[in-house]
Amino acid sequence: MHVSTRHVLRQGPMLATLGKTAARAFVQRVRPQPAGRLITPGPELRRSFAPLDTGLLDEYVAHVGGDPRAYRGVVPPHFFPHWAMPVAADTMADLPYPILRVLNAGCRMQVNALMPRNEALHVRAQLASVEDDGKRALITQRVITGTDSAPDALEVEMYAFVPLSGGNGDKQNGAAKRDKPRVPQGCREIAFGKLPADAGLSFAKLTGDFNPIHWVPAYARASGFRNVILHGFGTFARCCESLNRGLLGGDVRKLKLLHAKFTRPLVLPHAVGVYVRQREVYVGDGIEGPAYMTGHFETGADS
């Protein structure tokens, strides 16, 4: 579906974040920061955002496969990157890692309540932990969002991965590549569809995440991919809506938790499905095919 370019005008916070990220990357190249002792958890950063535009929210929901009518009056929780990333990015400002090598490894979204659309969002973000073994760093950020009437409605952890050493010829890395997850036997398919080549650009217009690896083919190929790749959070959002539509009867209030790991890049265009086995969920090419996201979910009926 076509996504209007007018939504770019509503992406000020995210575009400012991308600008700061580019500036930090430049500074890292000309004046590398020595590694120091990291203290975690870090300080809690706070920021508030004006109520979100209804047209933007409705078009976003439709783009990721949901029904905008199901979110009448409330904010889709998986839209959290739109407001969480501008705050969470500042929690990483003092880390010594090459910022352009940071990869999205996954997230955990816990929905305590749905937030009203007509209220300002109050966001708290914190660097929760950093695990560094000299070969890779695993970074966890915690973001809590609420409104005046629904405080602490949404709790999110975002996971980032930074490779620090090693190469493609490393035997251990080769084994890890061969052992990447696949959609297991015993799953059932709840959704399947084709993602167009411009799905990354459309998601960027709606969320503000204009990392060129998702919408500029030449940049993606220079980064080692066959073509542009879908945002990890785009895969996550489509998985949420597939669960809502294909498993939970269209009731967007039932999904309470989705914990996801992004296991390999999803190159566009691509036909992909969503598969479930009990409380496990996979996004992949088919049964026994490559899995681009693995995870588990909980619903209100689980508690």
Side-chain angles (χ1 to χ4, degrees):
M1 63 175 277
H2 172 73
V3 172
S4 174
T5 304
R6 74 177 186 277
H7 294 307
V8 177
L9 300 176
R10 300 187 175 96
Q11 309 300 342
M14 183 68 87
L15 294 177
T17 297
L18 293 176
K20 287 191 292 186
T21 298
R24 287 170 183 161
F26 176 78
V27 171
Q28 285 180 331
R29 294 194 63 173
V30 300
R31 190 172 66 247
Q33 181 178 348
R37 181 170 175 266
L38 295 173
I39 299 176
T40 56
E44 188 176 77
L45 306 182
R46 296 177 177 239
R47 188 170 174 184
S48 292
F49 296 88
L52 299 171
D53 178 79
T54 290
L56 172 65
L57 293 175
D58 285 349
E59 193 159 351
Y60 164 80
V61 170
H63 171 71
V64 298
D67 181 359
R69 295 171 298 180
Y71 290 98
R72 186 173 290 117
V74 296
V75 176
H78 49 72
F79 194 51
F80 69 83
H82 176 77
W83 66 79
M85 290 179 66
V87 190
D90 288 337
T91 71
M92 299 173 61
D94 296 327
L95 293 182
Y97 306 117
I99 197 165
L100 293 183
R101 298 187 68 190
V102 175
L103 303 173
N104 189 352
C107 63
R108 179 184 185 275
M109 181 185 76
Q110 179 176 320
V111 183
N112 301 321
L114 293 183
M115 296 179 290
R117 290 193 180 191
N118 60 350
E119 296 185 22
L121 303 180
H122 308 306
V123 184
R124 311 196 310 271
Q126 184 179 46
L127 180 66
S129 66
V130 178
E131 300 176 24
D132 184 338
D133 64 3
K135 295 182 179 180
R136 88 293 182 261
L138 297 176
I139 302 167
T140 300
Q141 299 163 284
R142 184 173 297 115
V143 182
I144 299 175
T145 309
T147 68
D148 288 340
S149 68
D152 299 347
L154 183 66
E155 300 179 31
V156 173
E157 287 186 346
M158 299 188 294
Y159 312 121
F161 171 84
V162 189
L164 301 178
S165 65
N168 293 332
D170 188 293
K171 291 183 179 179
Q172 185 174 358
N173 287 348
K177 184 175 181 179
R178 290 192 297 273
D179 294 339
K180 282 186 176 180
R182 306 181 80 83
V183 180
Q185 287 282 354
C187 287
R188 66 183 179 95
E189 183 181 284
I190 62 170
F192 195 88
K194 184 172 182 180
L195 301 173
D198 65 351
L201 177 58
S202 295
F203 193 79
K205 291 178 182 178
L206 293 163
T207 64
D209 185 354
F210 278 94
N211 184 331
I213 203 169
H214 302 301
W215 62 284
V216 180
Y219 187 95
R221 287 192 287 269
S223 301
F225 303 103
R226 298 192 310 276
N227 199 10
V228 294
I229 61 174
L230 187 65
H231 300 71
F233 290 134
T235 303
F236 182 85
R238 290 174 182 274
C239 180
C240 287
E241 290 305 328
S242 295
L243 290 170
N244 289 337
R245 184 181 64 252
L247 195 69
L248 303 177
D251 187 347
V252 300
R253 298 178 184 273
K254 286 185 176 180
L255 184 63
K256 297 299 183 183
L257 181 141
L258 180 56
H259 193 172
K261 180 180 180 181
F262 304 136
T263 52
R264 65 182 88 204
L266 205 172
V267 180
L268 298 171
H270 207 111
V272 69
V274 179
Y275 304 85
V276 296
R277 185 175 65 177
Q278 297 181 339
R279 289 297 184 239
E280 299 171 2
V281 62
Y282 301 84
V283 177
D285 288 349
I287 304 298
E288 297 189 336
Y292 305 98
M293 190 195 98
T294 66
H296 74 268
F297 64 95
E298 298 176 9
T299 68
D302 299 327
S303 55

